Structure formats: structure tokens, C-alpha cells
Amino acid sequence: MTSQPVRFYQVGSFAVGNRLFDKENRTVQSDPHRSNSLDSGHRACQGCGEALGARYALDAAMRATGGQLIAVNATGCLEVFSTPYPETSWRVAWLHSLFANAPAVATGVAAALKVKGMQDVRVVGQAGDGGTVDIGFGCLSGMFERNDDVLFICYDNEAYMNTGVQRSGATPPAARTATTEAVGAEPGNVFGQGKDLPRLAMAHGIDYVATATVADLHDLEAKVERAMQFHGARYLHILVPCPLGWGSAPNDTIRVARLAAESGIFPVFEAEHGEVTAVSPIRHREPVESYLSLQSRYAHLFGEHGRPDIVARIQAIADHNISTYGLLEEQAVGTGSNETSP
Amino acid sequence: MLRQIEGSRAVAETVARCRPEVVCAYPISPQTHIIEAIGAMVKSGQLSPCEFINVESEFAAMSVSIGASATGARAYTATASQGLLFMIEAVYNAAGLGLPIVMTLANRAIGAPINIWNDHSDAMAVRDSGWIQLFAETNQEAVDLHIQAFQLAEELSLPVMVCMDGFILTHAVEGIDVPDQSDVDAFLPPYEPRQVLDPSDPISIGAMVGPEAFEEVRYLSHLRQLDALERIPVLAGEFTESFGRESGGLLHCYRTEDAETIVVALGSVLGTIKDAADARRAMGERVGVVGITSFRPFPHDAVRSALSRARRVVVVEKAFSVGFGGVLSTDIAMATHDDDLTIHTVVAGLGGRAITQHSLEGMLVDATNGRLERLTFLDLDHGIIERERDRMTATRRSGPSAENILRDLGTVASRIG
Ligand SMILES: Cc1ncc(C[n+]2csc(CCOP(=O)(O)OP(=O)(O)O)c2C)c(N)n1
Ligand code: SF4
Ligand SMILES: [Mg+2]
């Protein structure tokens, strides 16, 4: 009898239905006994991708470590919306020091645990894209280079959201921010070289680097689990749409994140020891326009005075990603994220 | 037991005997010998258990110390000058979080112009950070203050900075007693944190605090520094009982009982000042000396009573507030608030310029004869200044002053002593 593998997107919405998994493979969030590391009642905007990503990532890390976890947070939206006392939302041992130093503080926590023989307790450092790719990069690179036992998670919403949506080194070309207004001949952010942090992390040769989005939460959790199997420096870069900064509808957060992956603009992959080991293939390729047009930060690219030339340049970036990572299903060797890419 | 040993080496051995669990530092002269020695002790297993972490910046060094301290480890670091400024955001943060980190500050000038030699500009730059700042007069006191610093820091949950003059102390080889391990162990109990990151009892540390409570949180750190004012003399007394010598305390008085003129200073220059005072006394002038050990918290009451019988106070400072004048002098004026007391600021020894007994005596003669101005700079070469001012008047693009002055001076021995 010929058999056909079950493809989760047969549910039609392209979402991975929990129902289709065995009990033990269901998401942490479907477990009523999950840790709720980032509890409800915080002050994030409606539809905040960062709140969602952090909740999934930390609960998965809590499950992976049996609750033996300490989190170090950089300044940014995640820190601000979660803590105004006495309403801290954290149900995990949690320390915030500064904007730029979360990787180093996490190193200090790991060092203290090591010296006390408590290496069963694991450390997660976390920051926004600004705290990771810009101001915190020195500390992060140092932490990678020393291979300290820290999983560092970047919640990438592609700008300095906490201070009111200013450009960061992770802001994509043409995006409008408060410091890259949609005016002039080159509206929005410049087409620079970009700062590809996952690649930079890989260049440090650390054991594990992965990207994920809040559109594929199974994948995100699996990557946290996988990361926790390694000791030493590890890096997880999660794309987290920000309705406020991106000008997307709060109920579109998941859709926008999915379109970022399905358009190829945000490649989802895993790398071990500096080599890409798996990619999440695009199941239904979308033009970048579907992704861009849902966000008012790109509004100046469309409509009567639209800039198809700029959209084409962005499409070229997506196309480049698709070929570099082999993101199309027919290109990719496997269809699951545990498969190896060519 | 006295050994001929470098100040840095003595401090490193002492810190090791305080059993730090995490030591993280970034090299900068004149602090390097301290951390090199501790690094070697950790690597050889002589200091264990201890994690010695080489980081990419001072900002990271203080940040690692913050993480380690918040996880319940005894944390130590050391820096100087530019390094202290590079970590300053984390310096404030450690104090704000109430983490009992101990740091050695090998005092050094701040650039530009870049200068590796000693003065106190670095310590003054973090005067308001919430750290306790203790100044060592001698290498023996530097050693002894470190032991007291860990005790004080952990008791109060406040970070403590031990300031020792770069090169003058750090690189001086002299007879120093490094206390035995057993004596240090008897004096310094293990670190019992007041707040700790613990998965079995998770708390949030470093939360956002708004106007509703920020002032109270800040005031509490002030109160804890005031507690330190009580504890520092007590600790110094206990130290004397345990180790048989006097070290630390709020301040040291030298021949002040009948003194008309009292010189106040911080750090190693006090030795030369005492020699100058002795010499003036031999000439019949009544000169005394007050050395401030605890600069933060500032011992207002002790200063007031130490200076209460003096007619004039001369504050010799290795730093100053540009556009204003003396820093320590301002504190002294606040403490004494006596309109009949004349307070002179003498800025001296900037960037490592030697403060000689000869110059100090000349300055004291001027003070006694009413010829000393309120603010003076010891041994300042006014000719150099005038010539550079002239060049600046003569042409718009006169160039960088530091380089002009060096060219003007020609090849001379640098005035470091
Ligand atoms: C040294 C320093 N510079 C600037 C700031 C102001 N600041 C706080 S959060 C933030 C932006 C955070 O951006 P990101 O890391 O991307 O996190 P997000 O808020 O977007 O999640 C900035 C600029 C600060 N707190 N500290
Ligand atoms: S501004 Fe963006 S990142 Fe910040 S809380 Fe709102 S949605 Fe989340
Ligand atoms: Mg951001």
C-alpha cells in the first residue's frame, strides 16, 4: 500500500494544528501545567509579536530545563511592558540591568552558577533587535567568542519600538520609522548592507543558531528545545511583528510573520557549528507585496504615487534569500525543519 | 608578616584570600598587575572555586559582575580612568540594584589628552553613583581596605570601590603584610545575598520604577550609605582587633589638636603632606593633616569636628571640576559651614605631576601669610599657558593645544617625579 506523509498544512490555514500531533509533541502552550513564564496582565500592545514570542520561547525553555531557568533581559519593550511594579509578569527568575549589557550579565549569571556547581540551572538572555544588533552587539559578540553557556534570544521587530519606532540596524530597507520618514527621493530606510545577525552569530562558530517567527510556534518551541540540548553560546533570532511600529492590524500579527517567511524576506533556518543544517521551506510562495502591503510602514510604496521600483528591489532581496537558503519546497531536500538543506 | 612586594600583587593576593567567586576585568594601566595576578591564581587552581572571565570591555566586566552578584556569587573587578568611564552606566546600575560588588580603582587621569598617570579625576566622575568610595593612603591600607570592603559591601548590599593611587601605590614595591587566609576567613563570613536569582523562588530584579517610588528607592540608598558611616568605624575597630593594626575608618587626623592650618587630602599624597606639615611645625607653624578615607559616604560630622579648631583649611586635590574648582573642597565647606574658616583649594598632581614637599611647604607659607588664593594650581607653569593663549589670539587655526604645548616645551623629562 502506498503511503502519503501527513502534511500539516492540509488543515488549510497553513497553521500547524496541535490536534495533528501526538500528545507529547503538542505545544507547551497547550499544556495546562505550563509555567506561564510571562504571565497575563502585562502592558504590551494588542497583537504584540514580541510578547507572544517571549511567552512561547521562555515556556519552552522552562519545559526543557524542568523549570531551572534564569532570564536576563535588556531594556526595551519586553522589559518595560512586563514589569512596572508591583505587576511583574515574570514567573521566572528574571533580571534586567541595562540596554546594552544583557549578554554580559547573562555571562555573569552563568559564571556564578558554574562556580556554585549549579549548572543544571540554565540561562537565557533576551533583547530586542536594538539591544542585540546595535548597542548590545559588543557584549553579544564577546559572549559568543567565549562560548559562555547562554542561549541568547533576539526578538526582532526591526526598530527601536520602546522609544517610539526609530530605526535600528535591523530595520529593513524602505521601511518608514520615526527617524527614516517616508519622504524624499529614497523614502524610508536606506538600502544599506543590513546586519544579518544570525550569519554573524554563525561566523562566531557557536554550536547552534536558528531563526524563527511567531507564525510557526511549533518550530519556535522545537528550536528552543534543541538549543537547550547544547552547552555554550547559542543564538535564536525570532521575527516578531509589532503592530504599532509596523502599522499592521493587531489581528494580523501571525499573518504578517507568516508572509515574511513565505515571501522569503525572512529565511527560517537552523545552523549548527557555523553550517546551515535545515531550512523551513516555503510552502506557498508569496510576492513581497503581500507582505509589505499589510504594513503602513511601507504605505509609501503603494497607491497612486507608489514606488514599484523599490518594491522590485525588495523582491530581489527575497529572491536572493530563497536561492541562498534553498527555501522553495522543490529546492529543499526535505519538508520538515529537521531536514538538511542542499 | 612583612614582605617586599608590589602594591598590586599585595592587593591581588588579598582579594584572593577574600575568596571571590567571579572575577571579571578588562586590562588598563595601572590596574593590570592586579588582575593578571588574580588570573594566574585562578588558572593555577590556587584560587578555587573561582571563575576568571576575560571580557571585551569594562562595560562587560561590570555587567558580568552584576549578573554574578545577582546570582549570589561574591564578585570582584578592577579598573581605572577610561575604563571606569567606559563602564559608568553599569557602575550606576550596580549601585542602583544594591549589588555588593567590590572594585579596585587604580586612580588615573582621564583624557584627552590621554595620560596614564595618577590623579583622582576618575573617582570623582562616579562620586554620585551610589558606590561607597574608600581611599587608601598606603599599600598596607589598600590591602586592609579590601578585606573591610567585602564585609561592608555584603553587610549593606552596596558596592564598594577601593581607590588606590595608580603607579604611586599600585607599582610601588615595599614591605606589606598580606593577612593569612585563616585570619581573613575569620573576619569575613561567606556572602549571604539579600536578593538572589533563584529558580525555586523566582523574583524580578531590575523592574521599571516610576515617579511613585523612584525617590524613595533613591533615598533608601542614601540611608544605607549613612548606615555605612556608622559601620565603617566599627569595622575598622574590629579589623584592628583581628589584625593588630589600624586601617580604614572615616578619616585620619595627624597633629590636628592645636593646628591653625589643616591640610585635607585623599590618598597617597598624605605621606608627603605629613612630611611638609612636620617641617612647617619645626619652623613654629601649627600645621595638621586630615586624610579622608571614606569619601562616599562623606563623613560630615567627623570632618566638622576634626576641623573645628582650625583657622584655615587647605584642601589639596588631585582633581577639579572644570569651570568651578575643588570637588572635595565643596564637600569640606558643606561639612564645616563656618564663615570664619577660610578654605583654600590647591589643585595638584594632575596627570601624575609630582607633588613635592618643597612645593607644598611653599604653598603652606603662602597660606600662613595670607598670600594663598582661594583656588590655586600647584606648580602651574603660567608661561606655557600665556604662550598658548597668545598663539590662539594670533591665529584662528592655532591647532590642538596639547600638541602646541608639547612642541613649546621641547624635549624635557616628563614631570612625574
Ligand atoms: C544606553 C541607552 N541608550 C538608549 C536607551 C533608550 N532606549 C530604551 S529601549 C530602546 C529601544 C529598544 O529597542 P529594541 O532593542 O529593538 O527593543 P524593542 O523595544 O523594539 O522591543 C532605546 C533606544 C537606553 N535605555 N539606554
Ligand atoms: S510597541 Fe510593538 S513591541 Fe512594543 S509592546 Fe507594542 S506591539 Fe509590542
Ligand atoms: Mg526592536
Side-chain angles (χ1 to χ4, degrees):
Chain A
M1 193 179 98
T2 53
S3 71
Q4 202 187 349
V6 173
R7 298 209 167 182
F8 293 121
Y9 53 84
Q10 285 169 348
V11 295
S13 70
F14 297 111
V16 178
N18 234 350
R19 288 173 294 121
L20 296 177
F21 279 104
D22 303 333
K23 256 211 163 82
E24 57 271 23
N25 287 327
R26 290 184 186 173
T27 68
V28 180
Q29 293 303 317
S30 68
D31 177 358
H33 303 296
R34 67 185 182 274
S35 50
N36 275 327
S37 315
L38 177 62
D39 213 347
S40 58
H42 56 70
R43 302 170 184 197
C45 309
Q46 215 179 40
C48 174
E50 188 163 270
L52 183 67
R55 181 156 63 90
Y56 271 74
L58 283 200
D59 277 348
M62 284 289 269
R63 181 168 75 178
T65 59
Q68 298 295 91
L69 193 75
I70 294 175
V72 173
N73 216 122
T75 312
C77 267
L78 180 58
E79 165 261 334
V80 170
F81 73 60
S82 62
T83 67
Y85 251 39
E87 304 125 357
T88 179
S89 290
W90 298 104
R91 295 176 68 179
V92 54
W94 183 91
L95 170 64
H96 161 251
S97 173
L98 295 169
F99 188 17
N101 70 356
V105 174
T107 291
V109 172
L113 293 169
K114 185 171 176 204
V115 82
K116 289 175 180 300
M118 292 166 61
Q119 275 138 297
D120 52 324
V121 180
R122 307 297 300 280
V123 189
V124 167
Q126 48 184 4
D129 49 292
T132 304
V133 319
D134 287 342
I135 200 166
F137 185 66
C139 285
L140 185 66
S141 173
M143 190 275 280
F144 286 163
E145 170 269 314
R146 293 184 303 270
N147 202 24
D148 296 326
D149 189 17
V150 172
L151 167 61
F152 201 85
I153 304 177
C154 170
Y155 301 103
D156 183 6
N157 52 23
E158 303 190 325
Y160 297 134
M161 296 314 177
N162 186 52
T163 35
V165 196
Q166 295 86 11
R167 176 203 188 268
S168 82
T171 300
R176 177 267 163 203
T177 70
T179 50
T180 54
E181 285 294 355
V183 294
E186 296 272 319
N189 191 30
V190 293
F191 277 78
Q193 289 300 308
K195 205 189 252 191
D196 189 340
L197 230 288
R199 284 272 164 195
L200 284 167
M202 287 163 62
H204 285 77
I206 60 176
D207 281 355
Y208 186 74
V209 174
T211 67
T213 76
V214 289
D216 191 347
L217 294 161
H218 270 288
D219 177 66
L220 194 168
E221 287 186 349
K223 284 170 175 166
V224 173
E225 291 268 351
R226 178 81 185 123
M228 281 304 176
Q229 290 165 7
F230 295 91
H231 285 264
R234 291 141 289 144
Y235 180 70
L236 183 57
H237 190 108
I238 308 175
L239 185 75
V240 292
C242 162
L244 184 98
W246 294 15
S248 51
N251 61 352
D252 271 346
T253 293
I254 305 293
R255 176 179 304 159
V256 169
R258 183 176 305 117
L259 287 168
E262 300 287 271
S263 64
I265 208 76
F266 185 84
V268 179
F269 65 94
E270 264 182 316
E272 293 185 11
H273 316 294
E275 301 293 331
V276 175
T277 51
V279 301
S280 294
I282 293 172
R283 298 182 297 239
H284 179 87
R285 189 177 183 178
E286 290 277 353
V288 290
E289 190 171 341
S290 328
Y291 167 68
L292 302 175
S293 60
L294 288 176
Q295 309 170 49
S296 69
R297 62 174 171 160
Y298 295 113
H300 53 283
L301 303 184
F302 302 102
E304 198 186 335
H305 303 288
R307 292 291 300 270
D309 57 323
I310 295 179
V311 175
R313 288 179 78 183
I314 298 173
Q315 184 64 54
I317 295 172
D319 294 347
H320 181 74
N321 286 340
I322 288 171
S323 73
T324 304
Y325 288 92
L327 292 176
L328 285 183
E329 210 154 5
E330 51 275 21
Q331 283 175 283
V333 167
T335 55
S337 61
N338 291 325
E339 307 287 344
T340 310
S341 75
Chain B
M1 189 189 66
L2 285 181
R3 276 188 295 148
Q4 283 295 322
I5 173 176
E6 191 193 49
S8 294
R9 175 82 211 171
V11 165
E13 289 184 12
T14 306
V15 167
R17 281 167 210 191
C18 293
R19 302 188 186 279
E21 293 168 290
V22 175
V23 175
C24 181
Y26 187 86
I28 182 167
S29 299
Q31 148 267 34
T32 42
H33 292 183
I34 300 174
I35 57 145
E36 287 164 6
I38 296 177
M41 285 184 257
V42 175
K43 205 151 190 358
S44 68
Q46 194 186 332
L47 172 54
S48 171
C50 180
E51 286 292 305
F52 181 84
I53 303 170
N54 287 301
V55 281
E56 72 288 345
S57 75
E58 286 88 358
F59 178 65
M62 183 51 69
S63 302
V64 168
S65 306
I66 287 170
S69 186
T71 314
R74 182 172 285 167
Y76 170 82
T77 185
T79 191
S81 179
Q82 316 297 138
L84 183 70
L85 295 201
F86 202 83
M87 64 162 68
I88 196 164
E89 193 191 9
V91 169
Y92 270 73
N93 192 253
L97 291 172
L99 297 173
I101 298 160
V102 171
M103 171 161 70
T104 308
L105 184 66
N107 298 106
R108 165 181 154 179
I110 289 173
I114 188 165
N115 172 298
I116 64 165
W117 308 105
N118 166 248
D119 72 29
H120 291 164
S121 310
D122 51 5
M124 295 302 139
V126 294
R127 158 194 87 157
D128 305 328
S129 63
W131 280 63
I132 289 174
Q133 289 181 298
L134 307 176
F135 276 80
E137 183 178 333
T138 62
N139 268 325
Q140 187 63 60
E141 191 167 47
V143 159
D144 299 346
L145 282 179
H146 278 89
I147 303 170
Q148 297 179 38
F150 280 104
Q151 168 80 297
L152 186 66
E154 291 170 10
E155 207 180 297
L156 298 171
S157 277
L158 280 182
V160 178
M161 193 181 299
V162 179
C163 302
M164 62 189 293
D165 285 316
F167 295 109
I168 299 169
L169 292 182
T170 55
H171 288 54
V173 176
E174 55 183 331
I176 306 170
D177 173 47
V178 176
D180 291 339
Q181 184 67 66
S182 55
D183 292 341
V184 177
D185 286 343
F187 186 82
L188 182 61
Y191 172 34
E192 187 57 58
R194 198 176 269 284
Q195 50 178 342
V196 69
L197 294 168
D198 176 1
S200 63
D201 180 18
I203 52 169
S204 299
I205 303 178
M208 177 108 180
V209 174
E212 71 284 359
F214 191 83
E215 196 162 319
E216 282 72 16
V217 175
R218 267 285 174 280
Y219 182 69
L220 195 63
S221 30
H222 178 60
L223 279 187
R224 275 148 70 210
Q225 286 242 352
L226 296 187
D227 291 343
L229 276 183
E230 308 281 320
R231 290 299 301 153
I232 288 168
V234 175
L235 264 181
E238 289 169 6
F239 185 88
T240 304
E241 266 172 46
S242 301
F243 297 90
R245 64 172 165 263
E246 289 188 10
S247 263
L250 297 173
L251 47 76
H252 302 308
C253 293
Y254 180 75
R255 303 183 82 169
T256 50
E257 306 76 30
D258 63 340
E260 279 189 345
T261 304
I262 294 183
V263 184
V264 182
L266 299 163
S268 64
V269 71
L270 284 160
T272 320
I273 294 176
K274 285 180 199 170
D275 289 346
D278 288 344
R280 294 325 298 165
R281 278 202 176 254
M283 304 298 291
E285 291 162 27
R286 288 188 295 178
V287 179
V289 184
V290 169
I292 309 280
T293 310
S294 173
F295 177 62
R296 285 293 179 273
F298 192 73
H300 285 268
D301 294 342
V303 166
R304 187 181 312 123
S305 79
L307 302 180
S308 61
R309 286 185 296 279
R311 285 180 51 196
R312 72 184 66 79
V313 171
V314 178
V315 186
V316 175
E317 301 204 41
K318 289 188 178 183
F320 76 111
S321 171
V322 182
F324 175 73
V327 182
L328 178 59
S329 312
T330 314
D331 296 1
I332 300 288
M334 278 293 283
T336 51
H337 50 73
D338 175 353
D339 289 342
D340 297 329
L341 183 70
T342 316
I343 297 176
H344 302 271
T345 303
V346 177
V347 178
L350 296 186
R353 177 164 302 183
I355 302 175
T356 63
Q357 182 179 337
H358 176 79
S359 298
L360 286 172
E361 281 196 59
M363 177 274 292
L364 283 170
V365 170
D366 285 349
T368 317
N369 298 333
R371 286 199 310 260
L372 188 65
E373 288 176 26
R374 280 301 182 98
L375 173 64
T376 51
F377 290 75
L378 195 69
D379 294 338
L380 189 72
D381 187 334
H382 291 275
I384 293 179
I385 307 279
E386 274 160 32
R387 289 194 295 279
E388 175 58 8
R389 299 272 285 189
D390 288 346
R391 284 189 291 269
M392 290 169 79
T393 316
T395 158
R396 172 72 203 161
R397 181 141 338 158
S398 54
S401 289
E403 285 69 8
N404 290 344
I405 288 174
L406 285 180
R407 201 173 306 117
D408 183 351
L409 268 175
T411 313
V412 290
S414 45
R415 298 203 209 170
I416 54 168

